Amino acid sequence: MKFPGEAAERIARSLQVQGPATVAELGVRLGMTAAGIRRPLAALADAEFVVATERAPFGPAPAPRRGRPSLVYSLSATGRAALSDDSASLAIEVLRYLDRTQGPEAVASFARERADRLVSTLGINSGVSMHYLASTLTEAGYAASIEDDNGPTVQLCQHHCPVVDAATEFPAICEAETAALSAALGTHVLRLATLAHGDGVCTAVIPVNRAHDRKVSA
């Protein structure tokens, strides 16, 4: 068994799909008490499946508050690997074969074609709102959200990546997805962090047109 108990696996899958969370937030998500969360969470930490930090690995810094801040738990690379399936291994073997027999450009060409097809299938274009972008990426398995401080940009956070194992070995996959999003949205998407590089979440900064987003939301 990969995980130290059923509750531990439920917690890990929540962190995978819905992103980093505190004990209280995990309790709300899973309908469990704080005490019920802490024991399996400690087991996950002992197995190095999760890491704890004083703030989420994305978004603005929390406002100052009295007392010790609640720890935020995120899946580690080991935890994500434990949740991966056999199809990911097969995909990596195919990419390795392509790289070995036809060279890196063949992998990059495949990555570009896949990314272009993804954004086209999801209907992502310069006319969509940022919250539509997040919701449609979530439907595609990226567990995406928008962090918005009402400035000239928003931060797109992807708490899960369906191809993280392949992207870890072949960065061209991440690069192609970012380029495809930039082209579809008609603006420069700046990638700040990726799960494939060992970060707690994939984040990207996207300039926004506030007037356009208000019109789309109306």
Side-chain angles (χ1 to χ4, degrees):
M1 188 172 184
K2 292 181 178 179
F3 292 92
E6 181 182 348
E9 183 171 354
R10 288 182 64 205
I11 290 170
R13 292 195 180 280
S14 176
L15 294 175
Q16 177 193 44
V17 175
Q18 297 172 278
T22 64
V23 168
E25 289 166 343
L26 284 167
V28 171
R29 289 180 187 177
L30 300 174
M32 298 170 63
T33 64
I37 291 289
R38 290 186 189 281
R39 185 183 296 273
L41 191 57
L44 287 170
D46 288 343
E48 299 184 346
F49 284 180
V50 301
V51 293
T53 56
E54 291 190 352
R55 57 167 294 184
F58 60 89
R65 51 172 290 184
R66 284 186 169 185
R68 186 176 179 181
S70 298
L71 292 175
V72 178
Y73 292 88
S74 308
L75 273 184
S76 66
T78 302
R80 288 192 295 272
L83 289 167
S84 64
D85 56 30
D86 292 338
S87 63
S89 298
L90 177 60
I92 292 172
E93 286 300 317
V94 171
L95 288 170
R96 286 174 180 165
Y97 177 80
L98 191 63
D99 183 51
R100 185 171 64 252
T101 59
Q102 300 185 42
E105 180 51 38
V107 175
S109 178
F110 164 79
R112 289 192 294 269
E113 193 277 337
R114 172 191 169 276
D116 289 343
R117 185 175 66 253
L118 175 67
V119 298
S120 176
T121 300
L122 296 179
I124 298 171
N125 55 59
S126 60
V128 303
S129 71
M130 291 297 100
H131 289 286
Y132 173 86
L133 173 66
S135 65
T136 192
L137 285 172
T138 294
E139 291 172 3
Y142 288 86
S145 63
I146 291 292
E147 297 294 322
D148 190 353
D149 62 3
N150 292 314
T153 64
V154 298
Q155 191 173 143
L156 172 67
C157 302
Q158 293 164 244
H159 309 290
H160 177 57
C161 175
V163 293
V164 64
D165 294 326
T168 298
E169 187 166 342
F170 298 98
I173 294 175
C174 287
E175 295 164 4
E177 285 188 3
T178 304
L181 280 176
S182 294
L185 295 172
T187 190
H188 179 60
V189 176
L190 176 63
R191 187 75 70 177
L192 299 180
T194 66
L195 291 164
H197 287 168
D199 300 302
V201 67
C202 292
T203 59
V205 171
I206 306 176
V208 290
N209 181 330
R210 295 289 171 186
H212 170 265
D213 264 17
R214 284 194 294 270
K215 182 178 180 181
V216 170
S217 300

